[in-house]
Short mmCIF file of all heavy atoms in Angstrom, two decimals:
data_model
loop_
_atom_site.label_atom_id
_atom_site.label_comp_id
_atom_site.label_asym_id
_atom_site.label_seq_id
_atom_site.Cartn_x
_atom_site.Cartn_y
_atom_site.Cartn_z
N ILE A 7 141.74 -8.64 45.64
CA ILE A 7 142.65 -9.33 46.54
C ILE A 7 143.18 -8.33 47.56
O ILE A 7 143.24 -7.12 47.29
CB ILE A 7 143.84 -9.98 45.79
CG1 ILE A 7 144.61 -8.95 44.97
CG2 ILE A 7 143.34 -11.12 44.91
CD1 ILE A 7 145.86 -9.49 44.29
N GLY A 8 143.58 -8.84 48.71
CA GLY A 8 144.08 -7.94 49.73
C GLY A 8 145.12 -8.61 50.61
O GLY A 8 145.13 -9.82 50.79
N TRP A 9 146.01 -7.79 51.13
CA TRP A 9 146.97 -8.20 52.15
C TRP A 9 146.68 -7.41 53.43
O TRP A 9 146.51 -6.18 53.39
CB TRP A 9 148.40 -7.95 51.70
CG TRP A 9 148.88 -8.91 50.67
CD1 TRP A 9 148.88 -8.75 49.31
CD2 TRP A 9 149.42 -10.22 50.90
NE1 TRP A 9 149.38 -9.86 48.69
CE2 TRP A 9 149.73 -10.79 49.65
CE3 TRP A 9 149.68 -10.97 52.05
CZ2 TRP A 9 150.29 -12.06 49.50
CZ3 TRP A 9 150.23 -12.24 51.92
CH2 TRP A 9 150.53 -12.76 50.66
N PHE A 10 146.65 -8.12 54.52
CA PHE A 10 146.37 -7.54 55.82
C PHE A 10 147.49 -7.94 56.78
O PHE A 10 148.21 -8.90 56.53
CB PHE A 10 145.03 -8.05 56.35
CG PHE A 10 143.84 -7.63 55.53
CD1 PHE A 10 143.59 -8.21 54.29
CD2 PHE A 10 142.98 -6.65 55.97
CE1 PHE A 10 142.50 -7.82 53.52
CE2 PHE A 10 141.88 -6.25 55.22
CZ PHE A 10 141.65 -6.84 53.99
N ARG A 11 147.60 -7.20 57.87
CA ARG A 11 148.57 -7.59 58.89
C ARG A 11 148.00 -7.32 60.26
O ARG A 11 147.12 -6.47 60.43
CB ARG A 11 149.91 -6.89 58.69
CG ARG A 11 149.92 -5.39 58.95
CD ARG A 11 151.28 -4.81 58.58
NE ARG A 11 151.32 -3.37 58.82
CZ ARG A 11 152.33 -2.59 58.42
NH1 ARG A 11 153.37 -3.10 57.77
NH2 ARG A 11 152.30 -1.30 58.68
N GLN A 12 148.55 -8.05 61.21
CA GLN A 12 148.06 -7.92 62.59
C GLN A 12 149.19 -8.14 63.56
O GLN A 12 149.99 -9.06 63.42
CB GLN A 12 146.94 -8.95 62.84
CG GLN A 12 146.23 -8.78 64.16
CD GLN A 12 145.01 -9.66 64.26
OE1 GLN A 12 144.89 -10.69 63.59
NE2 GLN A 12 144.05 -9.27 65.11
N VAL A 13 149.27 -7.25 64.55
CA VAL A 13 150.21 -7.42 65.65
C VAL A 13 149.40 -7.73 66.90
O VAL A 13 148.22 -7.37 66.99
CB VAL A 13 151.09 -6.17 65.85
CG1 VAL A 13 151.92 -5.92 64.61
CG2 VAL A 13 150.24 -4.95 66.17
N PRO A 14 150.01 -8.41 67.86
CA PRO A 14 149.27 -8.78 69.07
C PRO A 14 148.63 -7.57 69.75
O PRO A 14 149.28 -6.52 69.90
CB PRO A 14 150.36 -9.40 69.96
CG PRO A 14 151.35 -9.94 68.99
CD PRO A 14 151.37 -8.96 67.86
N GLY A 15 147.37 -7.71 70.12
CA GLY A 15 146.67 -6.64 70.82
C GLY A 15 146.07 -5.58 69.94
O GLY A 15 145.44 -4.64 70.44
N GLU A 16 146.28 -5.72 68.62
CA GLU A 16 145.73 -4.72 67.72
C GLU A 16 144.81 -5.38 66.70
O GLU A 16 144.86 -6.58 66.47
CB GLU A 16 146.85 -3.97 67.00
CG GLU A 16 147.72 -3.16 67.94
CD GLU A 16 148.75 -2.32 67.20
OE1 GLU A 16 148.61 -2.14 65.97
OE2 GLU A 16 149.69 -1.84 67.86
N GLU A 17 144.00 -4.56 66.06
CA GLU A 17 143.10 -5.07 65.04
C GLU A 17 143.87 -5.37 63.75
O GLU A 17 144.89 -4.74 63.47
CB GLU A 17 142.00 -4.05 64.75
CG GLU A 17 141.01 -3.87 65.88
CD GLU A 17 139.85 -2.98 65.48
OE1 GLU A 17 139.85 -2.46 64.35
OE2 GLU A 17 138.94 -2.82 66.31
N ARG A 18 143.35 -6.32 63.01
CA ARG A 18 143.92 -6.61 61.70
C ARG A 18 143.62 -5.44 60.77
O ARG A 18 142.50 -4.92 60.76
CB ARG A 18 143.29 -7.89 61.14
CG ARG A 18 143.98 -8.48 59.97
CD ARG A 18 143.41 -9.85 59.63
NE ARG A 18 143.60 -10.81 60.71
CZ ARG A 18 143.27 -12.10 60.62
NH1 ARG A 18 142.74 -12.57 59.49
NH2 ARG A 18 143.44 -12.90 61.64
N GLU A 19 144.63 -5.02 60.01
CA GLU A 19 144.44 -3.86 59.13
C GLU A 19 144.79 -4.22 57.69
O GLU A 19 145.72 -4.97 57.43
CB GLU A 19 145.28 -2.67 59.59
CG GLU A 19 146.78 -2.88 59.51
CD GLU A 19 147.60 -1.62 59.75
OE1 GLU A 19 147.01 -0.51 59.69
OE2 GLU A 19 148.81 -1.73 59.99
N GLY A 20 144.04 -3.64 56.78
CA GLY A 20 144.32 -3.81 55.37
C GLY A 20 145.46 -2.91 54.97
O GLY A 20 145.42 -1.70 55.22
N ILE A 21 146.50 -3.45 54.36
CA ILE A 21 147.65 -2.63 54.01
C ILE A 21 147.81 -2.45 52.52
O ILE A 21 148.38 -1.45 52.06
CB ILE A 21 148.96 -3.21 54.61
CG1 ILE A 21 149.19 -4.65 54.14
CG2 ILE A 21 148.92 -3.13 56.12
CD1 ILE A 21 150.58 -5.16 54.47
N SER A 22 147.35 -3.40 51.73
CA SER A 22 147.49 -3.29 50.29
C SER A 22 146.43 -4.14 49.62
O SER A 22 146.31 -5.32 49.95
CB SER A 22 148.89 -3.75 49.87
OG SER A 22 149.04 -3.65 48.47
N CYS A 23 145.70 -3.55 48.69
CA CYS A 23 144.60 -4.26 48.06
C CYS A 23 144.53 -3.91 46.58
O CYS A 23 145.01 -2.84 46.16
CB CYS A 23 143.28 -3.92 48.74
SG CYS A 23 143.27 -4.28 50.52
N MET A 24 143.98 -4.82 45.81
CA MET A 24 143.88 -4.62 44.37
C MET A 24 142.49 -5.02 43.91
O MET A 24 141.95 -6.04 44.35
CB MET A 24 144.94 -5.45 43.66
CG MET A 24 144.90 -5.38 42.13
SD MET A 24 146.13 -6.47 41.37
CE MET A 24 147.62 -5.48 41.61
N SER A 25 141.94 -4.25 43.00
CA SER A 25 140.62 -4.58 42.47
C SER A 25 140.68 -5.80 41.56
O SER A 25 141.77 -6.20 41.11
CB SER A 25 140.08 -3.38 41.68
OG SER A 25 140.92 -3.11 40.57
N ALA A 26 139.55 -6.38 41.27
CA ALA A 26 139.49 -7.57 40.43
C ALA A 26 140.08 -7.31 39.05
O ALA A 26 140.76 -8.16 38.47
CB ALA A 26 138.05 -8.05 40.32
N SER A 27 139.84 -6.12 38.53
CA SER A 27 140.36 -5.78 37.21
C SER A 27 141.87 -5.57 37.22
O SER A 27 142.51 -5.60 36.18
CB SER A 27 139.68 -4.51 36.70
OG SER A 27 140.09 -3.39 37.48
N GLY A 28 142.40 -5.31 38.40
CA GLY A 28 143.82 -4.98 38.50
C GLY A 28 144.11 -3.51 38.24
O GLY A 28 145.25 -3.06 38.36
N MET A 29 143.07 -2.76 37.91
CA MET A 29 143.27 -1.35 37.54
C MET A 29 143.44 -0.45 38.75
O MET A 29 143.98 0.65 38.64
CB MET A 29 142.07 -0.87 36.72
CG MET A 29 141.90 -1.58 35.39
SD MET A 29 143.22 -1.16 34.24
CE MET A 29 142.79 0.54 33.87
N ASN A 30 142.95 -0.88 39.89
CA ASN A 30 143.01 -0.05 41.09
C ASN A 30 143.74 -0.76 42.21
O ASN A 30 143.50 -1.94 42.48
CB ASN A 30 141.60 0.30 41.57
CG ASN A 30 140.83 1.10 40.55
OD1 ASN A 30 141.24 2.19 40.18
ND2 ASN A 30 139.72 0.55 40.07
N THR A 31 144.64 -0.04 42.85
CA THR A 31 145.33 -0.55 44.02
C THR A 31 145.23 0.46 45.16
O THR A 31 145.01 1.65 44.92
CB THR A 31 146.82 -0.82 43.74
OG1 THR A 31 147.44 0.38 43.25
CG2 THR A 31 146.99 -1.93 42.72
N LYS A 32 145.40 -0.04 46.34
CA LYS A 32 145.30 0.82 47.51
C LYS A 32 146.37 0.39 48.50
O LYS A 32 146.59 -0.80 48.70
CB LYS A 32 143.91 0.67 48.14
CG LYS A 32 143.47 1.82 49.00
CD LYS A 32 141.98 1.67 49.34
CE LYS A 32 141.45 2.95 49.96
NZ LYS A 32 140.02 2.83 50.30
N TYR A 33 147.04 1.37 49.09
CA TYR A 33 148.08 1.11 50.08
C TYR A 33 147.87 2.05 51.25
O TYR A 33 147.51 3.22 51.07
CB TYR A 33 149.48 1.37 49.52
CG TYR A 33 149.88 0.48 48.37
CD1 TYR A 33 149.60 0.84 47.05
CD2 TYR A 33 150.55 -0.71 48.59
CE1 TYR A 33 149.98 0.02 45.99
CE2 TYR A 33 150.94 -1.53 47.54
CZ TYR A 33 150.65 -1.16 46.25
OH TYR A 33 151.02 -1.96 45.20
N ILE A 34 148.15 1.55 52.45
CA ILE A 34 148.17 2.47 53.58
C ILE A 34 149.42 3.33 53.46
O ILE A 34 150.42 2.94 52.85
CB ILE A 34 148.13 1.75 54.94
CG1 ILE A 34 149.32 0.80 55.10
CG2 ILE A 34 146.81 1.03 55.11
CD1 ILE A 34 149.45 0.25 56.51
N GLU A 35 149.35 4.51 54.05
CA GLU A 35 150.40 5.50 53.88
C GLU A 35 151.77 4.97 54.28
O GLU A 35 152.77 5.25 53.61
CB GLU A 35 150.05 6.75 54.68
CG GLU A 35 150.85 7.97 54.31
CD GLU A 35 150.62 8.42 52.87
OE1 GLU A 35 149.48 8.29 52.38
OE2 GLU A 35 151.59 8.87 52.24
#
């Protein structure tokens, strides 16, 4: 699963994601 965000004029970016197992997560700094 993932959460993304987008502001006008910019590309959509992935900010927080989790693996299917739930064991791994990722966040932008």
